[in-house]
Amino acid sequence: MTATEPPGTAVAEPEPRRRLHPLSPLLHGAKSIAVIVAALSWQTLSQVGLERFAIVVAVIAVGVVLFSIVGWLTTGYQVVGRELRISDGVVWRRNRAIPLERLQAVELRRPLLAQLTGLAELRLEVIGGGKTEAPLAYLTVREAGALRERLLRLAGRTGGMEAQPTGHPDAEAPTVPALERPLLRVRNRDLVVSQLLTPQAFFLPVGVAFVVLQFVLEGSWTFIGIASTVTAMAGVLLQPVRRVLQDWDFRLARDPEGRLAVRYGLLETRSQVVPLNRVQAVGATWPLLWRGQGWLHLRLDIAGYAGEPGNGDAKRSDRLLPVGDFATARALVWEVLPGVDLATLATSPPPPRARWLNPFSLRSIGVGLTPEVFVSRWGLLTREMHIVPYARLQSVRVVQGPLQRLTGLATVYADTARGRAGQAKDRDLAEAYALAAELAVRARHARGPRTP
């Protein structure tokens, strides 16, 4: 104890650097090997033969596992105050300090191999992140759940509150989970039917008929031809099948602290906790082939939510309702944005001269202002609607293209921390400037007076 410390003050020992689970190298190696094998084409197998192909795969597997072990030895994490510090890297060492006040959402994922071994990975999404900032793979399910709750708790503290001492193992002991309030459980049957009503699945029989016709006309079929055809068909069905696997057994609930708890997935289960104050906008989509069933899907735009590289759907936003009817969507929007009724969001169309720029879709374009949100809609075949709370607006812009200048029109863009969220397309120029000014005023009032 130093002279500056009051008597009886206990000094918490610095938290030791923690490693990931010892099975992490094997799981990482298995993923890398699967990617490498998938990259080798059927043509490569036919050229080198099965025996040599197996030897090459075995040598690559040993090298990948050894490299993963070295990476595991150099990877660690620790919580220091209100920062999560992560060190990793083999060739290039990296040391990152992530301020927890930037934390937007925390996702607990369990891929198939992780489910078989009782492990999980944590993914942290932060403000301004172009990708997942801190994937911690892998931890035990108990450790991952306790660490997620701890990080969310620290992220919600104010600067004047003292953090929990972290020098003892009990600091990460999970508390008894409180009861959640269920909001929604999507029927798997509806999920499968909704993905059958997609262009990929709808036109697949045409492709199958074309392949069969080619086989009948040529009269011969090789192994390479069969394998290539099956691979091409699998590629066509990849997106709808992936959506079914991702959204399987989709459940939504509210935890005792008012956050959204989202769980879904079959081969890879995911569990997300999203504070509602991180939601930047709510998007609704009515696909053309779903309208006969009266279905739509909802998504949340969350600041910093990056998703996986190469997966455009995951990059954009988080799920709120994979598929459901209008009544269900209306109830969920009210839960996420209290006071906002999806059934009463009226919009006004652009002026009639905007038909020169939108000859077919003019009637589907519109904007509206309610006391709580800015609403914009567009789309002809697939109808879209974006609902943006005024408090989430970061900037408002008025943009005029060359054709818009000729017709006296302009577009107003309302930007959030997620980027461009809402737009008032092809409005009269005077109306566009008035709308931009009104949005700026409402955003300032919604955020409230600044405290010194």
Side-chain angles (χ1 to χ4, degrees):
M1 181 184 300
T2 63
T4 59
E5 295 172 348
T9 301
V11 180
E13 298 178 0
E15 177 178 333
R17 176 176 173 269
R18 300 175 182 270
R19 281 183 177 168
L20 303 176
H21 195 276
L23 289 180
S24 299
L26 293 179
L27 270 66
H28 284 298
K31 289 169 56 178
S32 301
I33 293 168
V35 172
I36 293 173
V37 172
L40 299 175
S41 63
W42 292 104
Q43 190 70 26
T44 303
L45 175 61
S46 64
Q47 289 178 352
V48 302
L50 181 60
E51 182 177 351
R52 291 185 179 181
F53 186 84
I55 293 175
V56 171
V57 171
V59 172
I60 293 175
V62 172
V64 167
V65 171
L66 291 177
F67 188 83
S68 299
I69 292 175
V70 175
W72 174 76
L73 292 173
T74 59
T75 301
Y77 71 94
Q78 61 183 155
V79 179
V80 180
R82 297 184 66 201
E83 284 186 347
L84 175 64
R85 298 181 180 178
I86 300 176
S87 59
D88 61 357
V90 178
V91 180
W92 289 277
R93 298 296 304 275
R94 295 179 298 176
N95 293 280
R96 290 171 288 172
I98 303 172
L100 294 180
E101 59 266 18
R102 297 176 58 222
L103 190 63
Q104 296 294 322
V106 182
E107 182 181 33
L108 190 151
R109 291 193 180 189
R110 300 193 66 199
L112 182 59
L113 291 178
Q115 296 181 51
L116 297 177
T117 53
L119 301 181
E121 66 173 300
L122 276 187
R123 295 194 170 209
L124 275 63
E125 306 293 342
V126 299
I127 297 175
K131 61 180 180 179
T132 300
E133 185 71 23
L136 296 176
Y138 292 87
L139 305 168
T140 65
V141 176
R142 178 178 178 274
E143 290 174 340
L147 181 59
R148 175 172 68 176
E149 290 302 318
R150 181 181 174 194
L151 295 178
L152 287 171
R153 184 173 64 249
L154 292 174
R157 291 180 182 270
T158 59
M161 298 182 67
E162 184 178 358
Q164 176 181 349
T166 58
H168 304 282
D170 292 341
E172 290 213 18
T175 58
V176 177
L179 293 178
E180 296 177 340
R181 178 168 63 91
L183 297 178
L184 169 74
R185 187 165 192 165
V186 175
R187 294 193 304 173
N188 292 326
R189 174 186 174 276
D190 292 347
L191 183 63
V192 173
V193 173
S194 70
Q195 294 308 307
L196 292 176
L197 296 176
T198 58
Q200 295 94 328
F202 205 73
F203 291 105
L204 182 64
V206 178
V208 173
F210 175 77
V211 171
V212 172
L213 181 61
Q214 291 291 107
F215 171 73
V216 171
L217 293 178
E218 294 184 4
S220 62
W221 201 255
T222 63
F223 171 77
I224 300 299
I226 295 175
S228 301
T229 302
V230 171
T231 303
M233 291 182 179
V236 171
L237 287 176
L238 179 61
Q239 183 175 352
V241 170
R242 183 174 58 193
R243 289 298 300 268
V244 170
L245 296 178
Q246 286 180 345
D247 296 335
W248 190 263
D249 196 24
F250 185 93
R251 289 161 290 161
L252 191 66
R254 289 284 289 271
D255 69 6
E257 298 183 20
R259 302 171 303 191
L260 281 180
V262 191
R263 298 178 179 89
Y264 53 93
L266 181 59
L267 300 182
E268 180 184 46
T269 62
R270 305 185 186 187
S271 174
Q272 297 173 335
V273 175
V274 181
L276 290 184
N277 62 347
R278 308 297 191 185
V279 175
Q280 304 298 304
V282 176
T285 304
W286 289 263
L288 175 63
L289 299 178
W290 289 15
R291 295 181 201 168
Q293 301 288 334
W295 286 344
L296 72 157
H297 66 80
L298 298 176
R299 63 184 182 274
L300 297 176
D301 283 347
I302 302 173
Y305 196 86
E308 305 89 344
N311 188 347
D313 178 71
K315 281 182 178 181
R316 292 183 58 189
S317 53
D318 197 10
R319 293 161 177 79
L320 180 60
L321 177 64
V323 59
D325 56 26
F326 185 81
T328 303
R330 182 183 180 186
L332 288 181
V333 171
W334 187 276
E335 284 282 346
V336 176
L337 302 175
V340 178
D341 188 350
L342 190 60
T344 61
L345 296 179
T347 58
S348 60
R353 64 179 181 277
R355 187 175 299 277
W356 292 101
L357 303 181
N358 307 277
F360 303 106
S361 61
L362 182 65
R363 296 180 59 185
S364 63
I365 300 173
V367 295
L369 301 177
T370 74
E372 299 87 9
V373 294
F374 168 55
V375 184
S376 59
R377 61 179 176 87
W378 65 92
L380 179 61
L381 300 181
T382 298
R383 297 175 182 171
E384 299 272 355
M385 175 181 286
H386 244 127
I387 307 169
V388 187
Y390 297 124
R392 301 293 178 257
L393 293 179
Q394 300 291 318
S395 65
V396 181
R397 297 175 290 122
V398 178
V399 178
Q400 260 193 314
L403 295 180
Q404 288 179 319
R405 287 197 295 269
L406 294 176
T407 53
L409 302 175
T411 299
V412 180
Y413 293 107
D415 300 327
T416 66
R418 277 282 296 153
R420 184 179 302 172
Q423 61 177 354
K425 186 178 179 182
D426 295 333
R427 315 303 294 190
D428 182 82
L429 184 59
E431 179 193 358
Y433 279 108
L435 177 60
E438 180 66 19
L439 288 175
V441 171
R442 295 196 182 199
R444 185 167 58 252
H445 290 169
R447 284 191 290 267
R450 294 180 179 268
T451 57

